[in-house]
Amino acid sequence: MKIISFRTPGLGDQSHLLVHEGRGVLVDPQRDIGRFLDTAAEHDVELRFVLETHLHNDYVSGGGQAALRTGAELVLPAAAAAAYPHTPAFHLEDIAGGDGLTVRPIHTPGHTPEHTSYLVLIDGEPVAVFSGGSLLVSSAGRPDLLGPERARTLARLQYGSLHRLAALPGGVGLFPTHGAGSFCSVTGAGRHTSTIADEQRDNPLLALPDAEVFADELLAAPMPIPAFYPHMGPANILGAPAIPTRRPPETPVEEIPENAHVVDIRPRAVQAAGFLPDSTGIALGDDFGSWAGWLVPYGEPIVLVAEPGQDVTEARTQLARIGVDDVRGVVRDLGGRASAGFELLGLADFLGRMPGAR
């Protein structure tokens, strides 16, 4: 058995592919499923299960499409009640995968009410647990993403869930979905994977004495919630279509639709030299999609401004991960309309210009 993890740095998340005896278990895949299915094919793996730990708040799941493409069995927490065919996972009701592979659901509410972790057993021996947004490396999943009214109740539940997972054998590998850089984590999570023994020893949240103190700790200084998060849960309940394959057309600057939001993905230094007034500048990088989802009104059409020759595929993929598909066009030439600009400063120069600086 081996586990291949796929990092998505801009969202602070990872998906996992467990391989055993030519069969695969894909856990919490994001919407751009090609990278997971290509890896499965490279390892000559038949996908047996697609597991979802919860209704994700930070991205649109690709689980349904991965199952449709491969014929794998899609498994979701029973309480998720998603509006498409799936196998409901009930607490401690084992799911047999053949060749000694067993998936054991463990109800771990807290990050969300329906949240379920999956313990994998090989020939009856527990070897790995996929903990989603429950027990994280040196941290835990946030309990406040569904609103402040439910946050304390979910925090208390999270306390019990963390200790339930921490009671597993120490040698069990821990493979969470959320990690460093994720707004679904209550603190800056550490490594991407761990073991139960390491968390028993090092996770500070497991040392808190009771559920009330734990809730106080998690809710003392809540982080902001990205603006696109409230749209992710409903999308994952209803199920998302495959990512559109149509390439957005090259668009002259004078033909930008009036109702479209212009997002400039060129490097920051290029934007500084001149950009379209009223455009939103988000240089293309790992976190482009998160910033676009935060700054651009969700679900409204977008036109990208890119350099000549700049590949917009990555920008479209990051937008698709959060369910933004309406990219109307790509502008490559600003045609002399870049009437705004700004000065770039290093940190030292910026601080030197602050009022009172010496």
Side-chain angles (χ1 to χ4, degrees):
M1 185 209 76
K2 64 179 175 181
I3 297 174
I4 303 165
S5 297
F6 303 81
R7 287 283 298 157
T8 306
L11 293 174
D13 285 336
Q14 56 189 4
S15 305
H16 306 282
L17 175 65
L18 180 146
V19 177
H20 173 68
E21 299 292 343
R23 299 187 181 191
V25 179
L26 181 60
V27 184
D28 286 345
Q30 296 181 339
R31 196 176 175 209
D32 51 321
I33 60 174
R35 52 183 170 150
F36 313 124
L37 302 189
D38 288 347
T39 299
E42 289 169 7
H43 289 79
D44 196 24
V45 169
E46 174 191 359
L47 211 57
R48 176 66 180 86
F49 295 115
V50 178
L51 309 179
E52 295 281 9
T53 57
H54 61 295
L55 296 172
H56 303 285
N57 292 298
D58 57 337
Y59 65 86
V60 174
S61 171
Q65 291 299 319
L68 284 174
R69 285 267 301 273
T70 63
E73 185 175 350
L74 178 63
V75 179
L76 276 74
Y84 41 88
H86 63 277
T87 296
F90 295 95
H91 180 58
L92 299 184
E93 291 192 6
D94 288 355
I95 303 171
D99 292 318
L101 172 67
T102 300
V103 175
R104 178 170 295 167
I106 302 175
H107 188 210
T108 46
H111 185 49
T112 63
E114 81 287 346
H115 191 287
T116 297
S117 301
Y118 297 97
L119 178 66
V120 174
L121 301 94
I122 302 295
D123 297 327
E125 293 296 320
V127 295
V129 63
F130 296 105
S131 60
S134 186
L135 179 62
L136 309 183
V137 180
S138 300
S139 186
R142 290 175 66 175
D144 62 330
L145 293 178
L146 300 184
E149 300 82 4
R150 305 170 73 182
R152 192 163 191 91
T153 294
L154 286 170
R156 294 191 194 102
L157 291 170
Q158 187 73 301
Y159 175 83
S161 294
L162 262 62
H163 284 272
R164 186 175 299 124
L165 293 178
L168 293 171
V172 171
L174 178 72
F175 295 86
T177 299
H178 302 313
S182 172
F183 277 93
C184 289
S185 171
V186 296
T187 61
R191 304 185 314 277
H192 307 315
T193 63
S194 184
T195 66
I196 295 299
D198 285 346
E199 295 310 301
Q200 291 169 342
R201 184 186 65 244
D202 299 332
N203 193 318
L205 296 178
L206 289 172
L208 298 176
D210 57 48
E212 294 302 330
V213 173
F214 180 88
D216 290 341
E217 179 74 17
L218 265 61
L219 301 175
M223 295 188 299
I225 299 175
F228 66 93
Y229 270 32
H231 302 278
M232 300 298 95
N236 289 321
I237 290 174
L238 298 177
I243 294 177
T245 57
R246 182 188 65 85
R247 294 176 61 86
E250 302 285 325
T251 303
V253 67
E254 62 271 11
E255 294 182 14
I256 296 175
E258 290 186 4
N259 65 335
H261 295 272
V262 179
V263 179
D264 194 330
I265 68 171
R266 298 175 301 161
R268 203 69 177 155
V270 178
Q271 294 178 23
F275 62 90
L276 292 176
D278 298 323
S279 62
T280 302
I282 310 173
L284 183 58
D286 286 342
D287 56 359
F288 164 77
S290 292
W291 282 112
W294 208 325
L295 299 176
V296 180
Y298 190 83
E300 297 187 11
I302 287 175
V303 168
L304 300 175
V305 174
E307 287 196 284
Q310 186 177 11
D311 187 4
V312 301
T313 302
E314 176 63 17
R316 293 175 58 215
T317 297
Q318 291 193 34
L319 291 171
R321 285 179 186 148
I322 61 170
V324 176
D325 294 336
D326 194 2
V327 180
R328 297 287 176 89
V330 180
V331 175
R332 303 280 186 179
D333 182 359
L334 298 185
R337 299 195 181 191
S339 59
F342 55 87
E343 183 180 3
L344 287 176
L345 294 175
L347 179 59
D349 290 337
F350 174 77
L351 293 176
R353 296 191 186 185
M354 295 289 286
R358 294 181 180 179

